[in-house]
Amino acid sequence: MALEGHKYIFVLGGVMSGVGKGIASSSMALILKQRGYGVNLVKVDPYLNVDAGTMNPTEHGEVFVLNTGLETDQDMGNYERFLNRDLGPEDYMTSGMVYQSVIERERALGYEGKCVEAVPHVRDEILHRIEAAAAHNGSQISVIEIGGTIGDFQNALFIDAARVMKIKHPDDVIFVMVSYLPVPGTLGEMKTRPTQHAIRELSSYGVQADFIIARSGQAMDEKRKEKLAISCNVRPDRIISAPDVASIYDVPLNLEKDSISDALLDALKLSKDTPSDLSEWQGFVDRVKGAEKIVKIGIVGKYFDTGDFVLSDAYLSVIEGLKFSAAEIGVKAEIEWLNAKNFENGTDVETLRSYDGIIVPGGFGQTGIEGKIEAIRFARENKIPYFGLCYGMQLMVIEYARNVLGLSGANTAEIDPYAEHLIVDVMLEQKALIAQGKYGGTMRLGTYEEIIKDGTIAHAAYGASSVQERHRHRYEINPAYVEQIESAGMVFSGKSPDGVLMEIAELPQDVHPFFLGTQAHPELKARPLAPHPLFTAFLKAAVAKSQ
Ligand code: GLN
């Protein structure tokens, strides 16, 4: 592997979880990219799940799907959004993946009769994966985020692998601790002690932090910086104050105000010849802040009994996708979470009139389905812009079949496999696997090509006849009903290249200003500097309605 001179920044969390390691990692990567370096981001997830596909979104946040179909943690979404490029499967690893490789190799006699142990074999597998990610991307710098907090048992082997990396490449490896400094209300003073302990704990692994990113409710003053520097053995110019900010997209700009890129490049012994240029990013942040006109978007979903806190994680990419397109057209999308259950039996549905646009996002299972269908019906009949994402597209076609085609028994096999009209059905090759209870990996996952029909809303939005979108679903529109649905006025404006799978459904614009659903998840490809055209088209229709 040609890794000579490749640089590694390991990012670790201190004191507690949720301090923004992912955003700090993404921001450092962006900042270094804007200094002219090829940068790669890697997420290490200590879970034993082999991928994130089996994790509950209300507990773990959204499942983010890569081009190859690998189901990953939502941090990978942030990485792609900040770096504005696609990441590969080698950029993500879980403990489950690592152990699975080692155990499979052991079963195949790959260790030639040796005792197989966590150290060195599992650790070596981690090192191998980190190096493979570095080699694969042809980048010069890898930013590697180690999930969890210092002191967890789960991530100890990963930290040990990073330590070994430093011995192997002493000039090429640095450690950044993202830590939390509380300001207790009763004292009103920032406390450094928990971070001192975290740094001390890290040194018990044989690792000395080179940088501390000091997350807190407020900025760190010079006095505390000095104190932390002395007690933690970290130079004061490498302690970076990172107070809370209104938006995660401000973080790179704030970190660079402290010239973090100069300090990182010095520590990595890399040239600083190319000056920092965050102007494009600044432009995006300014557009978000400058937008005044509000469009009200209602998102109808099922996880909504759990509170806003959980929701914003479960639908992170949808929220961000709206934000990017809103900034592009100079408006602010104000999102309201609407519990689908409230629309069952047609109750409360009139309240939807006050929204400029309605989204039914991706989802699984029975809960809230009838309410979602009622909301979609209301949007169709009252010409409220509607955007269906995956399940939201399937339900939109079911609603049309029931209420326009008069097929009252229309449903999806996911809810009622014996329904009279299975408008949405399971793909043949998946049936056998599901029958055996093998749910892991039975979905259409990852990027597929779609052919876009001329003269449709989708074609006008994309400005292209062939596009690539990412998928994560088990069911499809049943081809047996396509002709009947199309002759009743709905247009399948996106199809798989062989014409069998329906990728986008819409109503013609003379019937409804924007009634469109997509089987894929366009939100997974929306980026700050490259908003998604379908989100933009939907928001433009919402703006028109709001006038
Ligand atoms: N539950 C549906 C399916 O499996 C939709 C999935 C989704 O919205 N991601 O096909």
Side-chain angles (χ1 to χ4, degrees):
M1 240 172 267
L3 288 169
E4 255 343 278
H6 190 91
K7 306 290 182 180
Y8 302 87
I9 301 176
F10 286 97
V11 182
L12 306 142
V15 177
M16 64 183 200
S17 64
V19 293
K21 272 196 320 278
I23 300 303
S25 304
S26 306
S27 299
M28 282 189 282
L30 168 66
I31 287 166
L32 292 169
K33 179 185 165 199
Q34 296 311 105
R35 296 289 306 249
Y37 288 96
V39 186
N40 182 41
L41 271 156
V42 177
K43 173 77 196 265
V44 170
D45 240 341
Y47 299 100
L48 279 174
N49 303 60
V50 173
D51 59 45
T54 50
M55 295 185 196
N56 179 344
T58 55
E59 276 173 29
H60 190 71
E62 165 188 86
V63 176
F64 192 83
V65 182
L66 304 183
N67 278 337
T68 57
L70 184 69
E71 296 171 284
T72 70
D73 179 78
Q74 56 181 348
D75 275 321
M76 293 297 280
N78 282 324
Y79 292 0
E80 286 199 348
R81 289 188 277 268
F82 275 70
L83 273 187
N84 197 15
R85 82 166 164 82
D86 298 343
L87 292 171
E90 54 289 325
D91 299 321
Y92 183 70
M93 74 184 87
T94 66
S95 297
M97 273 181 203
V98 171
Y99 275 92
Q100 193 178 43
S101 303
V102 171
I103 290 169
E104 276 171 6
R105 185 166 162 200
E106 183 277 327
R107 291 289 84 188
L109 285 178
Y111 293 100
E112 294 162 354
K114 285 199 193 75
C115 239
V116 182
E117 302 193 71
V119 175
H121 300 103
V122 173
R123 187 181 64 199
D124 284 351
E125 174 63 24
I126 296 168
L127 284 168
H128 166 73
R129 282 171 180 260
I130 289 170
E131 288 177 343
H136 183 87
N137 284 281
S139 58
Q140 295 138 295
I141 305 171
S142 294
V143 179
I144 301 149
E145 178 189 350
I146 298 185
T149 309
I150 301 298
D152 292 351
F153 280 110
Q154 296 92 311
N155 58 18
L157 275 175
F158 292 105
I159 301 175
D160 199 47
R163 177 188 67 80
V164 172
M165 204 77 171
K166 175 88 179 173
I167 302 175
K168 282 168 75 176
H169 310 281
D171 291 336
D172 300 330
V173 175
I174 62 170
F175 294 93
V176 177
M177 158 89 84
V178 183
S179 194
Y180 184 70
L181 292 101
V183 184
T186 44
L187 301 176
E189 184 195 337
M190 185 185 284
K191 303 306 276 180
T192 61
R193 189 61 57 93
T195 296
Q196 294 180 35
H197 281 294
I199 292 285
R200 195 168 299 165
E201 182 135 25
L202 182 60
S203 40
S204 73
Y205 290 79
V207 171
Q208 168 64 47
D210 299 289
F211 283 77
I212 297 174
I213 294 187
R215 290 280 301 108
S216 186
Q218 59 193 56
M220 178 181 270
D221 57 13
E222 286 308 313
K223 193 172 144 217
R224 272 175 192 77
K225 225 177 231 188
E226 291 294 336
K227 189 168 153 192
L228 207 56
I230 299 289
S231 62
C232 296
N233 201 23
V234 175
R235 285 165 40 170
D237 61 324
R238 293 182 179 177
I239 297 178
I240 313 289
S241 168
D244 291 347
V245 282
S247 155
I248 55 171
Y249 302 109
D250 289 331
V251 174
L253 301 169
N254 270 10
L255 290 180
E256 193 56 340
K257 266 186 210 143
D258 271 358
S259 305
I260 193 175
S261 66
D262 278 347
L264 287 169
L265 293 174
D266 280 339
L268 292 167
K269 301 182 180 63
L270 287 172
S271 145
K272 294 184 288 188
D273 288 352
T274 309
S276 173
D277 178 9
L278 287 168
S279 54
E280 242 191 318
W281 194 263
Q282 180 78 57
F284 157 69
V285 168
D286 291 345
R287 279 196 296 284
V288 173
K289 288 195 180 136
E292 277 170 14
K293 184 177 168 43
I294 287 176
V295 281
K296 238 176 106 183
I297 306 298
I299 302 187
V300 183
K302 76 160 175 178
Y303 297 124
F304 296 3
D305 297 333
T306 37
D308 285 357
F309 177 70
V310 175
L311 290 178
S312 42
D313 264 9
Y315 297 106
L316 189 63
S317 294
V318 178
I319 301 169
E320 300 311 294
L322 283 169
K323 196 178 286 170
F324 309 149
S325 287
E328 188 184 24
I329 60 174
V331 299
K332 218 175 213 65
E334 196 177 274
I335 296 171
E336 270 184 51
W337 304 104
L338 307 173
N339 192 338
K341 281 188 201 153
N342 299 341
F343 305 122
E344 277 166 20
N345 313 316
T347 49
D348 276 13
V349 79
E350 274 296 325
T351 58
L352 290 172
R353 209 179 283 285
S354 66
Y355 294 90
D356 303 319
I358 292 167
I359 290 181
V360 173
F364 293 84
Q366 167 99 49
T367 316
I369 288 307
E370 293 304 321
K372 287 183 191 175
I373 291 176
E374 279 309 313
I376 295 169
R377 176 186 191 150
F378 191 84
R380 182 175 56 77
E381 291 179 345
N382 294 283
K383 300 197 190 321
I384 301 170
Y386 171 76
F387 191 24
L389 302 168
C390 205
Y391 217 5
M393 178 263 203
Q394 297 173 353
L395 297 175
M396 153 188 172
V397 180
I398 291 170
E399 186 279 321
Y400 203 72
R402 283 188 192 174
N403 301 322
V404 179
L405 280 75
L407 305 176
S408 57
N411 216 329
T412 161
E414 180 167 358
I415 291 171
D416 180 6
Y418 305 105
E420 195 182 339
H421 297 287
L422 283 178
I423 300 295
V424 179
D425 203 357
V426 73
M427 294 174 276
L428 265 182
E429 63 269 29
Q430 313 286 27
K431 269 190 179 151
L433 290 168
I434 294 170
Q436 296 163 34
K438 290 186 180 162
Y439 287 98
T442 60
M443 288 197 271
R444 178 145 78 107
L445 285 167
T447 294
Y448 288 83
E449 186 187 3
E450 299 176 17
I451 305 301
I452 309 295
K453 191 172 174 170
D454 255 358
T456 58
I457 299 178
H459 197 277
Y462 279 117
S465 298
S466 158
V467 299
Q468 307 273 342
E469 291 289 0
R470 295 186 193 172
H471 292 251
R472 180 172 190 257
H473 53 100
R474 194 165 280 128
Y475 301 87
E476 303 280 353
I477 302 299
N478 185 346
Y481 286 93
V482 165
E483 216 183 286
Q484 204 179 338
I485 294 166
E486 288 206 304
S487 60
M490 185 170 264
V491 178
F492 289 107
S493 52
K495 294 186 182 178
S496 59
D498 63 6
V500 175
L501 304 174
M502 301 302 116
E503 306 286 31
I504 302 177
E506 61 180 79
L507 285 181
Q509 229 154 4
D510 52 351
V511 179
H512 192 293
F514 191 98
F515 192 71
L516 181 146
T518 154
Q519 184 64 82
H521 287 278
E523 69 273 21
L524 300 177
K525 291 186 72 172
R527 310 250 170 93
L529 302 182
H532 195 285
L534 292 182
F535 275 85
T536 308
F538 165 65
L539 279 179
K540 280 184 181 163
V543 172
K545 180 196 174 244
S546 74
Q547 315 273 316

